[in-house]
Structure formats: structure tokens, C-alpha cells
Amino acid sequence: MADNSLTSRAILYHALTELDRAGYHSVRIAGSSRPFDLIAWNGQSILFISVRRARSGGISRFSEDVVRLAELVNSNTLPGIVYLWIYIFRQWFRYRIMPGGALPVRGDLI
């Protein structure tokens, strides 16, 4: 996440809790130049997750992030699945990053 506010950190911990409930082990990544905020894994998959928050709007506000993440997917260097999670007004909007952009994830957490 772009800033270190208390709210931003709370949202990251909320995401970690969601991953734990879904049966994933996860770690928070620190640093200003990292492409991901969280890495999670279970016996079947590895997830690379960028977490953002917004008061309104949707994924269009994060088009630069989507392009940057899609470039990583296109490079075929990551051993897992890339997601962008956006927290808007107490609700998660999750997107799987594909080579051509972002695909909304419906239903279960992952």
C-alpha cells in the first residue's frame, strides 16, 4: 500500500486474516519499491497480492497498478497467481491479474 497510515495497516491485517480463514499461510512484505503487499501459500498455490484502499470508485483508479502487475504476469517469472485486492467501504473487491488486465473474482475468497 502506498502509505503507512493506521487505516492502511489495519486493512493489510484484515487481508491476512481473510487469507488465514481460507487456509493460507501468509506474510506481509515491507518496503517502498515492492510490487506486492502480501505473499500467501497453501499446499496447492502461491498468491502474490497487492492491496489498495479507496473511499469510492473502483479498479479504474488503479489502472497503473494493473498495467505494472500484468507486466509481471507476462514475464512468466512468478511461480504463482497475482491478485489486486481493493478495500472500499468495508468490502473487498478482488481481481486476478491476467496477461491482458484484471478479471473480477466472484464468490469464494480466492
Side-chain angles (χ1 to χ4, degrees):
M1 297 188 74
D3 61 64
N4 283 328
S5 72
L6 185 58
T7 303
S8 295
R9 286 186 298 224
I11 291 168
L12 282 173
Y13 288 107
H14 184 254
L16 289 167
T17 301
E18 293 286 316
L19 288 163
D20 185 58
R21 286 184 193 151
Y24 283 84
H25 302 279
S26 54
V27 293
R28 180 176 172 235
I29 307 301
S32 60
S33 63
R34 78 235 177 302
F36 307 107
D37 298 292
L38 306 171
I39 297 177
W41 64 94
N42 64 14
Q44 301 164 338
S45 60
I46 301 171
L47 311 177
F48 297 89
I49 304 169
S50 289
V51 177
R52 300 292 179 264
R53 71 179 175 109
R55 293 183 184 191
S56 63
I59 193 162
S60 61
R61 295 189 60 201
F62 302 100
S63 59
E64 290 181 20
D65 291 310
V66 171
V67 168
R68 184 173 47 90
L69 294 171
E71 287 172 354
L72 289 171
V73 170
N74 282 322
S75 72
N76 291 320
T77 58
L78 296 173
I81 302 167
V82 177
Y83 286 95
L84 176 63
W85 288 14
I86 305 171
Y87 192 78
I88 303 172
F89 194 67
R90 300 180 188 167
Q91 185 176 358
W92 285 109
F93 294 86
R94 295 178 180 90
Y95 299 87
R96 181 170 175 176
I97 304 300
M98 307 298 283
L103 181 66
V105 175
R106 308 258 188 251
D108 290 338
L109 177 67
I110 306 302

